[in-house]
Coordinates of all heavy atoms in Angstrom, one line a residue:
Q1 N 128.6 116.6 84.5 CA 129.8 117.1 83.8 C 131.0 116.7 84.6 O 132.0 116.3 84.1 CB 129.6 118.6 83.6 CG 130.8 119.2 82.9 CD 130.6 120.7 82.7 OE1 129.5 121.2 83.0 NE2 131.7 121.4 82.3
N2 N 131.0 117.0 85.9 CA 132.0 116.5 86.8 C 131.5 115.3 87.5 O 130.5 115.3 88.1 CB 132.3 117.6 87.9 CG 132.8 118.9 87.2 OD1 133.6 118.9 86.4 ND2 132.2 120.0 87.6
L3 N 132.3 114.2 87.4 CA 131.9 112.9 87.9 C 131.4 113.0 89.4 O 132.1 113.6 90.2 CB 133.1 111.9 87.8 CG 133.5 111.5 86.4 CD1 134.7 110.7 86.4 CD2 132.3 110.8 85.7
A4 N 130.3 112.3 89.6 CA 129.7 112.3 91.0 C 129.6 110.9 91.5 O 128.6 110.5 91.9 CB 128.3 113.0 91.0
L5 N 130.8 110.2 91.4 CA 130.8 108.8 91.9 C 131.3 108.7 93.3 O 131.8 109.6 93.9 CB 131.8 108.0 91.0 CG 131.4 107.9 89.5 CD1 132.5 107.4 88.7 CD2 130.2 106.9 89.4
F6 N 131.0 107.5 93.9 CA 131.5 107.2 95.3 C 132.9 106.6 95.0 O 133.1 105.5 94.8 CB 130.6 106.3 96.0 CG 129.2 106.8 96.3 CD1 128.2 106.4 95.5 CD2 129.0 107.7 97.3 CE1 126.9 106.9 95.7 CE2 127.8 108.3 97.5 CZ 126.7 107.9 96.7
R7 N 133.9 107.5 95.1 CA 135.3 107.1 94.6 C 135.9 106.0 95.4 O 136.8 105.3 94.9 CB 136.2 108.4 94.6 CG 135.7 109.4 93.6 CD 136.5 110.7 93.6 NE 137.9 110.4 93.3 CZ 138.4 110.1 92.1 NH1 137.6 110.1 91.1 NH2 139.7 109.9 92.0
S8 N 135.6 105.9 96.7 CA 136.2 104.8 97.5 C 135.5 103.5 97.4 O 135.9 102.5 98.0 CB 136.3 105.3 99.0 OG 135.0 105.5 99.5
M9 N 134.3 103.5 96.7 CA 133.6 102.3 96.6 C 134.0 101.6 95.3 O 134.5 102.2 94.4 CB 132.1 102.6 96.6 CG 131.5 103.0 98.0 SD 129.8 103.6 97.9 CE 129.0 102.3 97.0
S10 N 133.6 100.3 95.2 CA 133.9 99.5 94.0 C 133.0 99.9 92.8 O 132.0 100.6 93.0 CB 133.8 98.0 94.2 OG 132.4 97.7 94.4
V11 N 133.4 99.5 91.6 CA 132.6 99.8 90.4 C 131.2 99.1 90.6 O 130.2 99.8 90.4 CB 133.3 99.2 89.2 CG1 132.3 99.1 88.0 CG2 134.5 100.0 88.8
F12 N 131.2 97.9 91.1 CA 129.9 97.2 91.2 C 129.0 97.9 92.2 O 127.8 98.0 92.0 CB 130.2 95.7 91.7 CG 128.9 95.0 91.9 CD1 128.1 94.5 90.9 CD2 128.4 94.8 93.2 CE1 126.9 93.9 91.1 CE2 127.3 94.1 93.5 CZ 126.5 93.6 92.4
D13 N 129.6 98.3 93.4 CA 128.8 98.9 94.4 C 128.2 100.3 93.9 O 127.1 100.7 94.2 CB 129.6 99.1 95.7 CG 129.7 97.8 96.4 OD1 128.9 96.9 96.2 OD2 130.7 97.7 97.2
N14 N 129.0 101.0 93.1 CA 128.5 102.3 92.5 C 127.3 102.0 91.6 O 126.3 102.8 91.7 CB 129.6 103.0 91.7 CG 130.4 104.0 92.6 OD1 130.0 105.1 92.7 ND2 131.5 103.6 93.1
V15 N 127.4 101.0 90.8 CA 126.3 100.7 89.9 C 125.1 100.2 90.7 O 124.0 100.6 90.4 CB 126.7 99.6 88.9 CG1 125.6 99.2 88.0 CG2 127.9 100.1 88.0
R16 N 125.3 99.4 91.7 CA 124.2 98.9 92.5 C 123.5 100.0 93.2 O 122.2 100.0 93.3 CB 124.7 97.9 93.5 CG 123.5 97.2 94.3 CD 124.0 96.1 95.1 NE 125.2 96.4 95.9 CZ 125.7 95.5 96.8 NH1 125.3 94.3 96.8 NH2 126.8 95.9 97.5
V17 N 124.2 101.0 93.6 CA 123.6 102.2 94.3 C 122.6 102.9 93.4 O 121.5 103.3 93.8 CB 124.7 103.2 94.8 CG1 124.0 104.5 95.1 CG2 125.4 102.7 96.0
G18 N 122.8 102.9 92.1 CA 121.9 103.5 91.2 C 120.5 102.9 91.2 O 119.6 103.6 90.9
G19 N 120.4 101.6 91.5 CA 119.2 101.0 91.4 C 118.3 101.2 92.7 O 117.1 100.9 92.7
H20 N 118.9 101.8 93.7 CA 118.2 102.0 95.0 C 117.1 103.1 94.9 O 116.2 103.1 95.7 CB 119.1 102.2 96.1 CG 119.8 101.0 96.7 ND1 119.1 100.2 97.6 CD2 121.0 100.4 96.5 CE1 119.9 99.1 97.9 NE2 121.0 99.3 97.2
S21 N 117.2 103.9 93.8 CA 116.2 104.9 93.7 C 114.8 104.3 93.4 O 113.8 105.0 93.6 CB 116.6 105.9 92.5 OG 116.6 105.2 91.3
R22 N 114.8 103.1 92.9 CA 113.6 102.4 92.6 C 113.2 101.4 93.7 O 112.2 100.7 93.6 CB 113.7 101.6 91.2 CG 113.9 102.5 90.0 CD 112.6 103.4 89.8 NE 112.6 104.0 88.5 CZ 111.8 103.7 87.5 NH1 110.8 102.8 87.7 NH2 111.8 104.3 86.4
S23 N 114.0 101.3 94.7 CA 113.7 100.4 95.8 C 112.5 100.8 96.7 O 112.2 102.0 96.9 CB 114.9 100.3 96.7 OG 114.7 99.5 97.9
R24 N 111.8 99.8 97.2 CA 110.6 100.1 98.1 C 111.0 99.9 99.5 O 110.1 100.0 100.4 CB 109.5 99.1 97.7 CG 108.9 99.3 96.3 CD 107.8 98.3 96.0 NE 108.2 96.9 96.1 CZ 107.8 96.0 97.0 NH1 106.9 96.4 97.9 NH2 108.2 94.8 96.9
S25 N 112.2 99.5 99.8 CA 112.6 99.2 101.2 C 112.6 100.4 102.1 O 112.7 101.6 101.6 CB 113.9 98.5 101.2 OG 114.9 99.3 100.8
D26 N 112.6 100.2 103.4 CA 112.7 101.2 104.4 C 113.5 100.7 105.5 O 114.0 99.5 105.5 CB 111.3 101.7 104.9 CG 110.4 100.6 105.3 OD1 110.9 99.8 106.1 OD2 109.3 100.5 104.9
F27 N 113.8 101.5 106.5 CA 114.7 101.1 107.6 C 114.2 99.9 108.3 O 115.0 98.9 108.5 CB 114.8 102.3 108.6 CG 115.6 101.9 109.9 CD1 116.9 102.0 109.8 CD2 114.9 101.5 111.0 CE1 117.7 101.6 110.9 CE2 115.7 101.2 112.2 CZ 117.0 101.2 112.1
F28 N 112.9 99.8 108.7 CA 112.4 98.6 109.4 C 112.4 97.4 108.6 O 112.7 96.3 109.1 CB 111.0 99.0 110.0 CG 111.1 100.0 111.1 CD1 110.6 101.3 110.8 CD2 111.6 99.8 112.3 CE1 110.6 102.3 111.8 CE2 111.6 100.7 113.3 CZ 111.1 102.0 113.0
S29 N 112.0 97.5 107.3 CA 112.0 96.4 106.4 C 113.4 95.8 106.2 O 113.6 94.6 106.3 CB 111.4 96.7 105.1 OG 110.1 97.2 105.2
D30 N 114.4 96.7 106.1 CA 115.8 96.3 105.9 C 116.3 95.6 107.2 O 117.0 94.6 107.2 CB 116.6 97.5 105.6 CG 116.4 98.0 104.2 OD1 115.8 97.2 103.4 OD2 116.8 99.1 103.9
A31 N 115.9 96.2 108.4 CA 116.4 95.7 109.6 C 115.8 94.3 109.9 O 116.5 93.4 110.4 CB 116.0 96.6 110.8
L32 N 114.6 94.0 109.5 CA 114.0 92.7 109.7 C 114.3 91.7 108.6 O 114.0 90.5 108.7 CB 112.4 92.9 109.7 CG 111.9 93.7 110.9 CD1 110.4 94.0 110.8 CD2 112.2 92.9 112.2
R33 N 114.9 92.2 107.5 CA 115.3 91.3 106.4 C 114.1 90.5 105.9 O 114.2 89.3 105.8 CB 116.5 90.4 106.8 CG 117.8 91.1 107.1 CD 118.3 91.9 106.0 NE 118.7 91.0 104.8 CZ 118.9 91.4 103.6 NH1 118.7 92.7 103.3 NH2 119.3 90.6 102.7
L34 N 113.0 91.2 105.7 CA 111.8 90.6 105.2 C 112.1 89.9 103.8 O 113.0 90.3 103.1 CB 110.7 91.6 105.0 CG 110.2 92.3 106.3 CD1 109.2 93.4 106.1 CD2 109.7 91.3 107.3
P35 N 111.3 88.8 103.5 CA 111.6 88.1 102.3 C 111.5 89.0 101.0 O 112.4 88.9 100.1 CB 110.4 87.1 102.2 CG 110.1 86.8 103.7 CD 110.3 88.2 104.4
W36 N 110.6 89.9 101.0 CA 110.5 90.8 99.8 C 111.7 91.7 99.7 O 112.1 92.1 98.5 CB 109.2 91.6 99.7 CG 109.1 92.6 100.8 CD1 108.5 92.6 102.0 CD2 109.5 94.0 100.6 NE1 108.5 93.8 102.6 CE2 109.1 94.7 101.8 CE3 110.2 94.7 99.7 CZ2 109.4 96.0 102.1 CZ3 110.5 96.1 99.9 CH2 110.1 96.7 101.1
V37 N 112.3 92.1 100.8 CA 113.5 92.9 100.8 C 114.7 92.1 100.2 O 115.4 92.6 99.4 CB 113.9 93.4 102.2 CG1 115.2 94.1 102.2 CG2 112.8 94.4 102.7
R38 N 114.8 90.8 100.6 CA 115.9 90.0 100.1 C 115.7 89.8 98.6 O 116.7 89.8 97.9 CB 115.9 88.6 100.9 CG 116.3 88.8 102.3 CD 116.7 87.4 102.9 NE 115.6 86.5 102.9 CZ 114.7 86.3 103.9 NH1 114.7 87.1 104.9 NH2 113.7 85.5 103.8
N39 N 114.5 89.6 98.2 CA 114.2 89.4 96.7 C 114.6 90.6 95.9 O 115.1 90.6 94.8 CB 112.8 89.0 96.5 CG 112.4 87.6 97.0 OD1 113.3 86.8 97.2 ND2 111.2 87.4 97.3
E40 N 114.2 91.8 96.5 CA 114.5 93.0 95.9 C 116.0 93.2 95.7 O 116.5 93.7 94.7 CB 113.9 94.2 96.6 CG 113.9 95.5 95.9 CD 113.1 96.6 96.6 OE1 113.6 97.1 97.6 OE2 112.1 97.0 96.1

């Protein structure tokens, strides 16, 4: 009802954040930039 956006972020980045709830990545995978992380 009351907007819950990241107001200082861009429109695109706000939309992209919504997809991370389905992401399989974790801290170590992100840090190593594994191929499947880049594809995701």
Side-chain angles (χ1 to χ4, degrees):
Q1 179 179 350
N2 299 313
L3 291 173
L5 295 167
F6 298 101
R7 295 178 56 79
S8 64
M9 289 169 52
S10 71
V11 167
F12 176 76
D13 285 338
N14 267 275
V15 177
R16 182 169 55 177
V17 163
H20 279 280
S21 64
R22 294 297 193 113
S23 172
R24 298 181 295 115
S25 65
D26 53 48
F27 175 80
F28 292 106
S29 299
D30 288 343
L32 295 172
R33 297 298 295 164
L34 297 176
W36 69 266
V37 172
R38 294 196 297 270
N39 291 336
E40 190 173 71

